[in-house]
Amino acid sequence: MSDDFVRRIKNEIFRAEEASPAVLAQIDEELERQPSAALWILRGDALQLSEDDEYDPQDAETSYLKALELDPQSAEAYESLGHFTFAVNDDARASVQYFQRAIELGAGESAREGLREALDELAEFDG
């Protein structure tokens, strides 16, 4: 897996503002050739931006978990899992652990913002 492939696909998704079935197929082909945490994260992110009905939203979560199997120290995988858990699964409480672990592993402002939002939602709910 090359960083160039990941960069190229991210740029393509950004330009199109969605992940086409062709992009998802390219990611899956690359995963078959050279599975990596970065590709599994890219797949999860792309699935969330896809209009393709062939995929279940939980496929994104599965992708992030596979990334963590390959790289248990991946701040990016924990952060993506946190955002997914908070936004898609609507589970602020569960997302907190993922955001905290991402931050411990060096994640940046996006993880901190996700953690703040999750904690604010919990405080509102519990308060």
Side-chain angles (χ1 to χ4, degrees):
M1 189 274 314
S2 73
D3 292 336
D4 290 339
F5 176 83
V6 172
R7 209 174 1 265
R8 182 177 58 79
I9 295 296
K10 283 183 178 182
N11 287 336
E12 189 172 328
I13 291 169
F14 179 76
R15 277 193 309 277
E17 297 181 354
E18 71 173 338
S20 69
V23 164
L24 290 167
Q26 288 177 44
I27 295 168
D28 286 341
E29 287 172 18
E30 191 67 20
L31 273 167
E32 285 183 28
R33 276 194 290 277
Q34 292 182 305
S36 71
L39 279 173
W40 281 113
I41 294 165
L42 178 62
R43 183 178 188 269
D45 293 348
L47 287 170
Q48 290 189 72
L49 297 171
S50 171
E51 298 297 323
D52 192 342
D53 293 337
E54 181 179 325
Y55 296 98
D56 182 286
Q58 296 308 308
D59 289 339
E61 180 178 38
T62 299
S63 295
Y64 299 135
L65 293 172
K66 287 185 183 250
L68 286 171
E69 286 176 18
L70 291 175
D71 183 1
Q73 301 300 308
S74 172
E76 186 179 1
Y78 278 108
E79 181 178 342
S80 292
L81 192 53
H83 286 296
F84 179 87
T85 302
F86 183 71
V88 178
N89 288 348
D90 195 26
D91 189 344
R93 191 167 311 282
S95 72
V96 167
Q97 68 180 330
Y98 298 127
F99 288 129
Q100 288 175 330
R101 184 66 178 137
I103 292 165
E104 289 171 7
L105 292 169
E109 185 54 35
S110 177
R112 285 193 262 299
E113 180 62 30
L115 179 60
R116 279 192 295 274
E117 288 178 13
L119 290 173
D120 287 348
E121 184 173 302
L122 290 173
E124 187 177 304
F125 181 74
D126 293 342

